Amino acid sequence: MKSFRVSVRAVLAGAAVVALTAVTLAPQQAQAAPGPVSAALSPLSAQRLAVSLTDRLQDSAAGSYYDDGAGALVVNVVDRTAEKIVRAAGARPQRVRFTQARLDSTLLALNERAVIPGTAWVQDPRVNRVVVTADPTVTGARRAQLDKVVSGLGETVTVRRISTRLTRFMEGGDAIWGPNARCSLGFNVKKAGKPGFLTAGHCGNAVATWSDTQGGAQIAKTEASTFPGSDHAIALYTAAVDSRSAVDLYNGRSQAITSVGAATVGEAVQRSGSTTGLHGGKVTGLNATVNYEQGQVKGLIQTDVCAEPGDSGGPLFDGPKALGLLSGGSGSCGLLSPSKVTYYQPVQAALDAYGVSLG
């Protein structure tokens, strides 16, 4: 029986992006205020500092992101007092226009009035706005509805059009096969001592029993899945397999997975999948909402990592740290693809939902 390590699969295609508003996707405010050079931070250290500063600053903060090149945490602030607090803590303050309360109000309005298949949105702290993505199916009445909602929200929103559909990524990774679908194994887990694996919920909804080859013998059975709303599933092994807690790097080696973490905007990450192998990029947003044709999914990690059909359910990770399970997106891994965006179900939510641990 083959060794099962973590991997991925998903449906995306090349996406040309056109801004529909006058707002550009470059930071609109002054750059981070100068100050003394601080020691470089790891993504984990930056995440902890961000939580601490958010608690201290409260209404004076409006999000943060990790500058991977500089090893620095950039914190959006709305007043001079907050700037001083951020700088003293070892982070870089950046003055912005919109408060967190204003951006939260924008997200609430979108969730109440713009649940339109083919759209997605996320707060992007790098531009201090909510970025709405609309795919080619958003036309006619759908486009009119979106335009009406967005026009009432002013400059807190910018809209991007993509040339290919936002969709789930059915098929497989380190491939797991069902009778009518192929998906990717995400992370191996243990439930009350029994081995199993996580994958995407839309995969679990479609497949009751899994094999490691197309048309092969059963090796696992889906125990539970959730989609839409969230996008995660758990399957328990029914055959003896080498279920190591590792990710296939598609170069003859693997990455051991020893912990679970929360993603940070700007963090360098990788994902693995049987269609496209290993690819990397950065986290570009948190708590993203995607409106698939099949329903809405909230609380997702957004990245600029590419994926293609068959990567669904596979792992997003940073070294030994598990981060997410591939849900869907748009774009491709081809050199001519002008835009790449993928969305991931945070792993911790799946572990909590099923009462399991990495294993």
Side-chain angles (χ1 to χ4, degrees), residues 189-211:
V189 295
K190 288 286 198 316
K191 182 173 184 178
K194 297 180 180 180
F197 61 82
L198 298 175
T199 190
H202 65 265
C203 294
N205 284 1
V207 177
T209 60
W210 299 96
S211 64

Side-chain angles (χ1 to χ4, degrees), residues 113-190:
R113 306 187 336 242
V115 182
I116 303 165
T119 63
W121 49 77
V122 67
Q123 178 185 336
D124 188 340
R126 298 166 302 174
V127 296
N128 187 226
R129 284 169 172 79
V130 174
V131 179
V132 175
T133 298
D135 76 10
T137 68
V138 184
T139 59
R142 289 182 178 183
R143 175 67 178 269
Q145 181 184 353
L146 181 62
D147 289 348
K148 181 179 180 180
V149 174
V150 168
S151 66
L153 296 174
E155 293 184 5
T156 59
V157 175
T158 183
V159 179
R160 301 189 303 173
R161 296 287 300 192
I162 57 177
S163 62
T164 53
R165 292 181 63 185
L166 279 170
T167 182
R168 305 163 302 159
F169 296 149
M170 293 289 286
E171 287 187 11
D174 205 24
I176 48 174
W177 294 82
N180 57 350
R182 180 166 64 96
C183 285
S184 295
L185 187 151
F187 296 98
N188 280 312
V189 295
K190 288 286 198 316

